[in-house]
Amino acid sequence: MSMFCFQCQEAAKGTGCTIAGVCGKKDTTANLQDLLVYVTKGVSLVAELAKKNSVEIDKADKFVFEALFVTITNANFDDNKITDKILEGIEVRDTLKKELEEKGFELPVDLPE
């Protein structure tokens, strides 16, 4: 994988790290953090639909809070923990989708990326 990390104020020359993180972060970690942000957006989107349809979203709220903390600058470079959080997010999202379907709600097919 190639490195492109723009997550902090330490980014080389203010443009993002492209070879290795100035902070010591590896490319795999930067990419996993980006994936976690992507999954978190998906959880948030489904949680918003769930809330509008009276489905409990406490687990989604907790997940989003924790996931965003994992991605802040220099807080967590543990690839295994980041991967676990990604998998947790997928589980939270899928649980919400199932609960919505059980209430007869169909997710739109044109969800944003």
Side-chain angles (χ1 to χ4, degrees):
M1 290 185 189
S2 63
M3 175 77 151
F4 182 72
C5 181
F6 53 91
Q7 298 170 347
C8 74
Q9 73 281 357
E10 296 174 16
K13 299 180 184 176
T15 61
C17 297
T18 57
I19 298 170
V22 172
C23 61
K25 186 187 302 181
K26 293 182 169 50
D27 60 342
T28 53
T29 304
N31 290 328
L32 284 170
Q33 287 180 328
D34 287 345
L35 180 56
L36 180 55
V37 169
Y38 183 83
V39 168
T40 303
K41 288 179 179 181
V43 169
S44 298
L45 181 73
V46 176
E48 184 178 351
L49 294 171
K51 184 175 182 177
K52 288 178 182 176
N53 288 279
S54 303
V55 172
E56 183 60 49
I57 63 165
D58 285 346
K59 287 184 181 178
D61 285 346
K62 183 177 186 244
F63 167 79
V64 169
F65 175 80
E66 291 173 351
L68 292 176
F69 184 78
V70 167
T71 63
I72 65 171
T73 304
N74 302 340
N76 186 343
F77 291 171
D78 185 330
D79 288 357
N80 291 326
K81 287 184 180 181
I82 298 168
T83 300
D84 289 345
K85 190 55 74 176
I86 290 166
L87 295 173
E88 178 186 341
I90 292 168
E91 183 179 326
V92 168
R93 181 206 62 198
D94 289 349
T95 298
L96 286 174
K97 287 169 76 173
K98 183 179 178 186
E99 290 178 31
L100 282 166
E101 289 171 1
E102 288 172 356
K103 285 190 162 220
F105 180 81
E106 290 186 34
L107 288 173
V109 293
D110 62 343
L111 290 173
E113 186 182 320

